[in-house]
Amino acid sequence: MRVEKSFRGISKRLATHYLGNLGGERIEGDPEGEGPVTVEGSDWTATLTAEKVDVAASIRLTEVTVVFEGEEETLPELVDDFSQKAMRAGG
């Protein structure tokens, strides 16, 4: 199963930290760097990327996109748990 979600108002570093709290370990990439970061759990993998997006005429925010891949039985709960953490971070 594969789920892709985007979050604004959260950094790649913080998203990586949250995935670590959910049982993952960073296996590739630098959360402070430009490229993607891969975090792996026991039965899932998440790949994070970040880019600046325009939200108004002169306002740009960081948008982190997370591609979750894993078992159909457990992935929805992981995505929900991560989404709750990420939403609190932005507001």
Side-chain angles (χ1 to χ4, degrees):
M1 178 176 195
R2 182 179 190 272
V3 176
E4 182 174 323
K5 291 191 77 169
S6 295
F7 302 89
R8 292 183 179 172
I10 184 173
S11 68
K12 200 167 44 164
R13 179 194 55 77
L14 189 55
T16 300
H17 175 75
Y18 287 159
L19 288 167
N21 286 343
L22 293 169
E25 182 178 332
R26 182 173 54 87
I27 60 168
E28 188 174 89
D30 178 6
E32 304 288 340
E34 294 293 318
V37 171
T38 303
V39 178
E40 198 170 80
S42 61
D43 58 353
W44 56 268
T45 301
T47 304
L48 298 85
T49 56
E51 66 177 324
K52 293 284 189 182
V53 294
D54 294 324
V55 294
S58 62
I59 299 174
R60 292 177 56 92
L61 289 177
T62 298
E63 181 175 87
V64 174
T65 299
V66 184
V67 177
F68 299 92
E69 296 182 89
E71 299 296 322
E72 191 170 337
E73 300 81 32
T74 57
L75 197 62
E77 183 177 349
L78 172 72
V79 172
D80 286 344
D81 289 347
F82 178 83
S83 296
Q84 287 179 11
K85 289 178 177 291
M87 294 306 281
R88 285 196 302 262

